[in-house]
Amino acid sequence: MKSGIANLIEPEKDDANALRFDALLYAIEFANLCGTRNTRSFSDLRKRAKAFSTLANIPEIASKLPLIEKIINTSYLESAKFTDFENIRNELRDLMKYIETNRKIIYTTDY
């Protein structure tokens, strides 16, 4: 019988905002595969794209402006296919670090 302690689980190196963006796009992709549209998720994606567009002075974002503008100003999302959504996810996920999040910090104490 072996005894010992298991290795610690290493935290993911990804930014939490990027992971939330992944989850958003996965929900859109799933709805697309099911033949439905997730209009609330489309709205959330457009909101993030608008936030990117206000930061166009950042070179990483400036290089993605054609895609960002397409999301905001056209009906691209309504006619997009699974591969289009996956492309959006891959192209924009690393930019999430530039968007400010207004998450409320809750402090707790032990009694």
Side-chain angles (χ1 to χ4, degrees), residues 75-89:
S75 60
Y76 174 63
L77 297 180
E78 284 75 21
S79 62
K81 304 289 185 233
F82 178 86
T83 54
D84 299 320
F85 294 122
E86 188 62 15
N87 180 57
I88 292 169
R89 189 185 71 78

Side-chain angles (χ1 to χ4, degrees), residues 12-103:
E12 291 192 29
K13 307 243 187 288
D14 279 339
D15 177 33
N17 291 332
L19 294 174
R20 281 190 280 280
F21 186 74
D22 286 343
L24 171 67
L25 266 294
Y26 290 148
I28 292 171
E29 290 172 359
F30 181 72
N32 182 267
L33 288 173
C34 293
T36 62
R37 281 195 304 187
N38 191 337
T39 54
R40 182 173 180 202
S41 295
F42 283 0
S43 175
D44 289 346
L45 179 56
R46 282 194 177 99
K47 187 168 82 173
R48 286 181 172 91
K50 285 178 184 175
F52 289 139
S53 70
T54 64
L55 303 169
N57 59 331
I58 299 171
E60 279 182 276
I61 293 175
S63 69
K64 308 294 182 187
L65 271 180
L67 176 59
I68 292 167
E69 292 296 326
K70 191 176 183 179
I71 292 169
I72 296 169
N73 298 320
T74 68
S75 60
Y76 174 63
L77 297 180
E78 284 75 21
S79 62
K81 304 289 185 233
F82 178 86
T83 54
D84 299 320
F85 294 122
E86 188 62 15
N87 180 57
I88 292 169
R89 189 185 71 78
N90 287 323
E91 293 292 319
L92 301 183
R93 78 178 304 275
D94 291 333
L95 303 180
M96 289 303 298
K97 62 188 170 197
Y98 297 113
I99 295 179
E100 297 268 333
T101 56
N102 296 327
R103 300 235 178 254

